[in-house]
Amino acid sequence: MRIVFAGTPEVALPSLEALLASDHEVVAVLTRPDAPSGRGKQLAPSPVAARAAELGIETLKPVKPSDPDFLARFREIAPDCCPVVAYGALLPQSLLDLVPYGFVNLHFSLLPAWRGAAPVQHAVLAGNEVTGATTFRIVAALDAGPTFLQMTEPIAPTDTSGELLARLSVSGADLLVRTLDGIADHTLTAVEQPTEGITLAPKITVDDARIHWSRSAAEIDRVVRGCTPAPGAWTTFRGDRLKINSGTPIDGQRGAPGELTITKRSVTVTAADGTGLLLGEVQPPGKKPMNAADWARGVAFVPGEALGG
């Protein structure tokens, strides 16, 4: 099939590469416009746009997918099917109607669970032991279209969202290619999603990433892992924000919620129900990530101090 691949961030690249290596012809790429990046906030192309430029593939970057000029060019290209991985904007019906075999989304969840922008993060936050990826035909409603194929992936107790998403982006790429193969040779039929078991996964906000030390260490650990690498779990220390990049839940911790216990080689924070979090890596404002014990040695710790106050 002639395809236009729609995707934007790094996580979409394994699918683009897999499709380029398949029997399908990638005739163009649809991605989000260039955006400010790095310390200088200079405009930079998305990872998908940068890869397409290396390959000499036409790249479409409409501000809005409903833009008339973009739609006119899309009609001229006339793709048979459009695989989508984390494109980053809603696709209007006027665009969906232009493709005979439709827009086929690779979503990193076991639909109908975790419909939305942050399915992997929410699976980690909820303490799910298994997640996966699903291919489905995009319809007007959020992630509600009929599904083609699905695969599962265990969530390890130490997985961050970034690590889990990296694995899913690779295994999901194969799922996407097999889906397009099945559509092309008419061996694959989409089936409607179940009406039960629907959960939503909206984008994680900075407020969502704030650590509440009145929760158990297991819950806090899920916040840390679910919000890593972005937006990053955080607490406060002496009024400034402190990012917590990693930690290990422990039992037998006593003290008030957020209270610090510091030794030469470790920093532990009291959580609820006799648990605590042994801090791994932290990041003070304006500084690089560092070991928690190194951070504690540099702040002239006062006994009884706490995080999150």
Side-chain angles (χ1 to χ4, degrees):
M1 292 191 293
R2 285 168 52 83
I3 60 175
V4 169
F5 177 77
T8 298
E10 194 86 20
V11 71
L13 289 178
S15 288
L16 174 59
E17 298 291 351
L19 289 164
L20 288 166
S22 75
D23 292 334
H24 307 289
E25 181 186 7
V26 181
V27 293
V29 158
L30 170 63
T31 189
R32 300 297 296 150
D34 296 357
S37 178
R39 288 182 178 272
K41 299 298 180 184
Q42 298 292 316
L43 286 180
S46 73
V48 167
R51 181 60 179 144
E54 292 174 354
L55 298 167
I57 299 174
E58 179 177 356
T59 304
L60 308 169
K61 303 178 183 179
V63 175
K64 294 182 178 179
S66 57
D67 178 79
D69 291 338
F70 159 68
L71 291 175
R73 178 58 188 145
F74 196 87
R75 288 190 188 91
E76 293 173 353
I77 296 172
D80 299 308
C81 187
C82 290
V84 181
V85 183
Y87 168 57
L90 294 176
L91 302 173
Q93 193 64 46
S94 56
L95 179 62
L96 300 180
D97 291 340
L98 295 178
V99 185
Y101 290 103
F103 282 71
V104 177
N105 189 211
L106 171 64
H107 196 259
F108 298 115
S109 77
L110 296 174
L111 290 174
W114 303 131
R115 292 176 177 177
V120 174
Q121 292 90 334
H122 280 275
V124 175
L125 287 168
N128 292 170
E129 295 181 349
V130 176
T131 185
T134 304
T135 52
F136 70 97
R137 181 176 291 121
I138 292 178
V139 297
L142 177 68
D143 298 335
T147 63
F148 292 103
L149 295 175
Q150 204 166 62
M151 52 150 285
T152 60
E153 175 74 29
I155 301 177
T158 57
D159 271 341
T160 66
S161 291
E163 293 165 344
L164 184 55
L165 189 55
R167 292 205 305 273
L168 287 170
S169 69
V170 173
S171 51
D174 175 68
L175 192 78
L176 185 61
V177 171
R178 287 194 285 121
T179 300
L180 264 62
D181 290 346
I183 292 172
D185 63 17
H186 304 287
T187 58
L188 197 58
T189 303
V191 297
E192 294 299 325
Q193 293 187 33
T195 56
E196 297 182 350
I198 296 171
T199 51
L200 300 180
K203 183 178 179 180
I204 301 294
T205 68
V206 172
D207 282 345
D208 294 330
R210 181 168 188 163
I211 294 172
H212 297 278
W213 297 104
S214 57
R215 297 178 180 174
S216 72
E219 293 174 298
I220 293 170
D221 174 56
R222 294 202 297 268
V223 172
V224 172
R225 292 188 294 109
C227 296
T228 298
W234 62 278
T235 183
T236 55
F237 180 67
R238 297 177 183 169
D240 291 327
R241 188 172 294 188
L242 178 71
K243 286 183 68 176
I244 307 295
N245 295 339
S246 64
T248 304
I250 58 173
D251 292 324
Q253 184 75 12
R254 295 291 181 266
E259 186 173 331
L260 287 158
T261 301
I262 296 178
T263 69
K264 287 185 178 179
R265 297 183 178 178
S266 69
V267 180
T268 307
V269 191
T270 303
D273 304 327
T275 63
L277 194 71
L278 176 63
L279 299 186
E281 185 181 86
V282 303
Q283 186 173 5
K287 296 186 178 181
K288 295 182 178 179
M290 63 181 71
N291 180 279
D294 294 336
W295 163 75
R297 277 191 289 273
V299 298
F301 171 71
V302 177
E305 283 193 291
L307 298 181

